[in-house]
Amino acid sequence: MDKLREEGYLLPMRNDAPRLPIGVFDSGVGGLTVLRALRRRLPAESFLYLGDTARLPYGTKSPQSVERYALQCTRQLVARGVKMLVVACNTASAVALEPLARAWPGLPVVGVVRPGARAGCAATRSGHIAVIATEGTVRGGAYQRAIQELCPQARIVARACPLFVPLAEEGWTSGPVAEAVAREYLEPLFPPGDRRGADAPDTLVLGCTHFPLLAGAVARVVGPEVAVIDSAQTAAAEVADVLEREGLGAPQGTPEPTRFLATDDPERFARVGGLFLGRTLAREDVAVVDL
Ligand code: DGL
């Protein structure tokens, strides 16, 4: 028992839990789009963010590897003291929520797949929803299942768009290259002549942390009549509900500055991460950890 506690597998009961930060992890910098929404929705909370940049991308790895990585990321955050966990990576949310709940019973965990599915179901009028995500997320069918569960009549098409990930990291989020790639991926789902037709989806869920950066290019391809959904806001609302329900909300006051951990080069994390977070990050803001 003590060994498990030492390794961070059991949570000590702490009276000061509301003052602890919320732990957030992603395969890299993409989850900073989720952190940004969390900070906006929960200004009194402190955050500890871990980006597993050494092993990015998760989207091309097997479910077994992604599950193992998610357990290691969580162990690192729990060992540093967090009151709840946000899995800000769609690929990890798709496979690791149950293993995480088994490993840390009592640790509230919110992923991004269900909130994205919920937002998609709320937005659709025709019930025809498209999901774009990494290869792993699409292959495992987690979005398809979550949408079907919430909205059993839904017709769902899903497509992996792996090239969006390096484009976002390169900062090539608009312009001819981003639009050409978006066209290649999305036109089969939204044929130019039929975007308003009965057969085209009316809602597109961005099921990957990197894709909100390309939302402009995506919207230009799918047209203004399609609702483009970013799950970050819905996920932040779900986190707020959990904090309230569990009595874990931070007391009013100034939160601690967000702490950033990365498993690889902090310089790159800070440079690319700034694009995702929407503000400058300094190399000194990022500590390197080994999982
Ligand atoms: N964070 C991942 C996701 O949301 C995208 C990047 C990756 O493949 O690791 O699925």
Side-chain angles (χ1 to χ4, degrees), residues 25-31 33-34 49 52 55-61 66 87-94 112 133-137 143 162 165-166 169 206-211:
F25 82 83
D26 176 49
S27 54
V29 289
T33 56
V34 179
Y49 182 95
D52 189 9
R55 298 188 290 200
L56 176 100
Y58 283 8
T60 53
K61 308 285 185 329
V66 174
V87 182
C89 173
N90 291 264
T91 309
S93 297
V112 283
T134 63
E135 243 177 88
T137 305
Y143 265 102
V165 172
E169 299 227 338
L206 305 179
C208 172
T209 50
H210 286 58
F211 297 0

Side-chain angles (χ1 to χ4, degrees), residues 173-189:
T173 52
S174 59
V177 176
E179 268 188 45
V181 175
R183 219 170 282 291
E184 189 71 27
Y185 282 140
L186 296 171
E187 278 187 353
L189 309 181

